[in-house]
Amino acid sequence: MQRNEARRKVEQLRRTIREHNRRYYVDNAATISDGEFDGLMAELAALEERFPQLDDPESPTHRVGGEPLAAFRTVAHSRPMLSLQNTYSAEEVRRFDERTRRLLGEEGPLAYVVELKIDGIAVALRYERGHFALGLTRGDGTQGDDVTANLRTIRSLPLVLSAEAAPIPERVELRAEVYFPRAAFAALNARRREAGLGLFANPRNAAAGTLKLLDPRLATERHLALFAYQLLDAPELGIENHGAALERMRAWGLPVNPHVRRAAGIDEAMALCEQWESRRRDLPYDTDGLVLKLARLTWHASLGATSKVPRWGIAYKFETDRAQTRILRVDWQVGRTGAVTPVAVLEPVQILGTTVKRATLHNADEIARLDARLGDRVTIEKGGEIIPKVVEVHREARTGEQRPLGPPQRCPVCSERLEREAGAVAIRCVNEHCPAQLKRRILHFASRGGLEIEGLGAALVEQLVDHGMVHDVADLFALTTEELARLERMGPRSAANLRAALEASRRPSLARYLHALGIRHVGARAARLLAEAYPLLHDLAAADPEALASLPEIGPTIAASVHRYFARPESRQLLARLEQAGIIPRPIAKTAEPSSLAGLTFVLTGTLPNWSREEAGQHIIARGGRVAATLSGKTNYLIAGENPGSKLAKAEAAGIPVLDETGLRDLLSRGPSGD
Ligand code: IVH
C-alpha cells in the first residue's frame, strides 16, 4: 500500500471509529457488534504500526495511556469550580424556588432542567480548536490536578469534538462527572480480590483512585466513564438555556446523561424527583440525588453565585441511612449480661438529620472481618436499629497511621477475667458483681420496657452503685427519700418523686417483670409469650425446658436460658427479696395476637409527644413489626411527629399512610395492649 492510500485509509478508519464510539457511548445505540469494532481498531493499529509517520497522539488507538508521571501538575481553573447547595428536604427545595422567584422578580413558575446527580468525581475539561487539551480535578476549587493523561483513557470522552452538527469555538470549557459504571466497578474489585489487592469501598472511591493514578496505563484497564453537565460560556455561543447547552455538548460528541428532563415549574420538577427515589436503583451507575437547574441562562447570569455555590441550582439528595466518617477511638462496653462489645467513637457525622458519634462494631470477630483499625475511614449505617453500625472499612484510604484494634484481655471496668463461650462470638466479663453489669441491669429493670421507673436514669444509677447503696435491683425498693435526696443533682422533691415512682412500680404485669429481670435471650416478645403461657411466676419457675420449648415461638435456646435462670440459687434469692419488697407481678390477660404487626414495615420521623423514636420502635418490634430507616416501596406506615422533615411529604406523595403517636398507639392496642 502506498503512503497516500494508507493516509486516506487511516483517516477514514479514525473517523469511522470515532463515529461508532459516539454511537456507543453518547447515543447509547451501537450499530455494529463489539467484534466488528475491535476489527476496525486492529486494522487501524496495524496501519499505524506499518506507517509510523501517520501515527497521531489523538488516534483512537492511543487510549492505552502515556508514560507514568512523577507527580501531577497543579493548574489554575479558568473559573472557580464551585459546589452546589444541597438538601434532603423537599420543603427546602421549594423554599429555594420561592426565594429565587423573589430574587428574579418573576411572578410565574420558573422552568428547570432536572438532572441526575451522578455520584462520581467532578472534572473540568478544556478543548482547544476541537481537541481535548486539558482535564483538571476540582482540587481546592481554584486550582486542580492535571489528570489529562488518565482522562484520555476514558473511551466515552472524545479526543476530538465533532463539528458536523454545530461549529466548534476556538476554546470550549465544560464540567463533567467522572464515574465508575457499577459493572466495571464489580469487575475491577473481582480482579483485585483475585490479585490479593485491597478492594475499593464503592464506585466513587474507585473513580477518585483511578484519576489519581500516576501511571495512565493502569487507568486504561479501569473503564471509567463520564457525563458532561455544564458548558461554560454557553451564552457567548448564542445558547439561551441550559437544556440547549447540554444538547450542544451532545452534538459535539460529548456524553450527556440521557435522563435530563425539562420541568415547566417546581411542581413538575418535584414530581420528576419523586420518580427517581426508586428508579435510580435500576441505573447502571450510582447517583446521590437530582440537580435542579434554572433553565434560562440569563437567570444564571443575573443570580450569580456565593463564594461556594451558584444561586441558579440546588441538589436534592436522596436520603440514605449511610455516611462516611473516621474511627477516633474504640470503647469496650460491658453490657448487662457481661458481654464486652466494641463501640467505635466517631468523628461526628449527620445521618438522616441526626448527629451520629458512636457506632457498634458488634464483637471482636466483626472487627477482624472488617479489619477495622483506629483512625480508619469507615461507612456507618443507621438502619432501623437504635445504634448505628460500622458496615465498611475504607482500606484504600489508609495513611499508614492506622492502628490495630485488639480485644481487651481483662474487663475494662472491674479488671476481672474475660471468657469466650465455645461457639459464641461475644467475650464476657465473668464477674457477676462487675459494677458495669449491675448498672446496666438496673437501667434495664427500670426502663420503659421493664418496670418503667420514672426518674431512675443513668447518672443516678451510676451514683447508687458507686456509693455502694444498691447491690441488686431489690435494693432499689429499700432506698429512703432522705438517702436519695443526699445524692448529687437530687433534691427533696426529685427524691420524693423517685420514691413515688418506685412505689408505683410494685405491681408490674408478669410480662414486664420477666423482661425487666434481664434473663438472657428473653426480650419483650418472649417475655409476653411466657407470661401468657404461665400466668403465675411460680409455675414458670418450675417449668422444665421441654415444656417451655413446646410453646409457640419459644425455641430451645430461650427455653434453656429460662430454665437455667430459675434454677440458679442467686436468681431465686433475688426473686424472694423482690417479693419481700412487695414486687408482685400481675398475671396478664391474653388479649389479642401478639404478632398483630407481623409483616408490616414502619418508618419513624420527627419528635413524638411522649415516646422517643426508639421507644416507639420497640413497641412496634414487640408486636412483630419491622422498623426501617428510610421510606421504600415496602413501607406500610410512616409514624410522624413534630418537625418530620422531607419524609412526610415523600410518604404523602407515595400514598403511604401517615400516623401520629396516637394513631400508632391505636394500632398497637388493636393487637395486645401494653398490658
Ligand atoms: S452541576 C457549580 N450537575 O455534584 C457546580 N453537578 O454537589 C455545578 N454532580 O460538583 C454542578 N452530577 O461534582 C451538576 N448533573 C450534575 C451533576 C453534578 C453530579 C456533582 C458535581 C458537583 C457536585 C455538586
Side-chain angles (χ1 to χ4, degrees), residues 35 122 201 330 401 477 521 588 592 660:
V330 167
E401 283 162 19
F477 298 92
H521 307 296
I588 56 164
D660 60 6

Side-chain angles (χ1 to χ4, degrees), residues 191-315:
R191 287 200 303 273
R192 290 179 72 86
R193 181 175 293 120
E194 212 145 273
L197 297 169
L199 302 187
F200 284 110
N202 54 46
R204 185 175 191 279
N205 286 3
T210 304
L211 280 184
K212 288 299 177 70
L213 286 170
L214 286 167
D215 185 350
R217 280 170 301 198
L218 298 175
T220 316
E221 300 154 15
R222 297 269 182 104
H223 304 296
L224 281 176
L226 111 179
F227 284 125
Y229 58 69
Q230 193 188 4
L231 174 62
L232 302 191
D233 303 322
E236 280 72 39
L237 303 176
I239 299 173
E240 289 176 0
N241 68 65
H242 177 63
L246 293 176
E247 272 319 308
R248 179 65 57 92
M249 291 196 285
R250 204 196 303 272
W252 286 332
L254 286 155
V256 173
N257 189 275
H259 300 292
V260 176
R261 294 288 176 273
R262 198 187 131 86
I266 191 67
D267 291 337
E268 218 176 296
M270 296 312 287
L272 284 168
C273 294
E274 297 298 339
Q275 288 179 9
W276 281 107
E277 281 292 330
S278 54
R279 257 184 88 192
R280 68 181 175 120
R281 288 175 231 284
D282 303 328
L283 292 166
Y285 40 82
D286 284 356
T287 53
D288 58 344
L290 291 133
V291 184
L292 277 68
K293 300 176 183 173
L294 289 178
R296 260 199 242 162
L297 294 177
T298 47
W299 286 340
H300 291 212
S302 52
L303 288 167
T306 70
S307 63
K308 295 199 182 77
V309 296
R311 291 198 188 85
W312 45 255
I314 187 164

Side-chain angles (χ1 to χ4, degrees), residues 1-2 41 49 63 142 150 182 198-199 203 277 310 328 339 376 407 509 538 548 616:
M1 192 189 285
Q2 292 303 306
M41 285 287 276
E49 202 178 320
R63 297 274 184 178
T142 49
N150 285 338
R182 286 191 190 138
L199 302 187
E277 281 292 330
L328 300 175
D376 260 340
S509 71
H538 285 101
L548 292 169

Side-chain angles (χ1 to χ4, degrees), residues 45 75 160 246 267 270 275 318 325 327 359 363 395 433 442 488 513 592 669:
V75 180
V160 185
L246 293 176
D267 291 337
M270 296 312 287
Q275 288 179 9
F318 297 126
T325 181
I327 300 184
N363 51 54
R395 284 180 232 176
H433 304 287
I442 296 172
E488 241 175 76
Y513 187 65
S669 61

Side-chain angles (χ1 to χ4, degrees), residues 20-37:
H20 284 299
N21 252 339
R22 173 197 161 97
R23 286 184 198 165
Y24 185 87
Y25 290 111
V26 181
D27 304 336
N28 235 335
T31 49
I32 58 170
S33 70
D34 290 354
E36 283 168 312
F37 181 85

Side-chain angles (χ1 to χ4, degrees), residues 634-652:
K634 292 186 199 134
T635 313
N636 298 96
Y637 290 97
L638 177 74
I639 309 300
E642 253 187 79
N643 300 324
S646 64
K647 284 196 183 114
L648 181 59
K650 282 184 195 165
E652 283 170 351

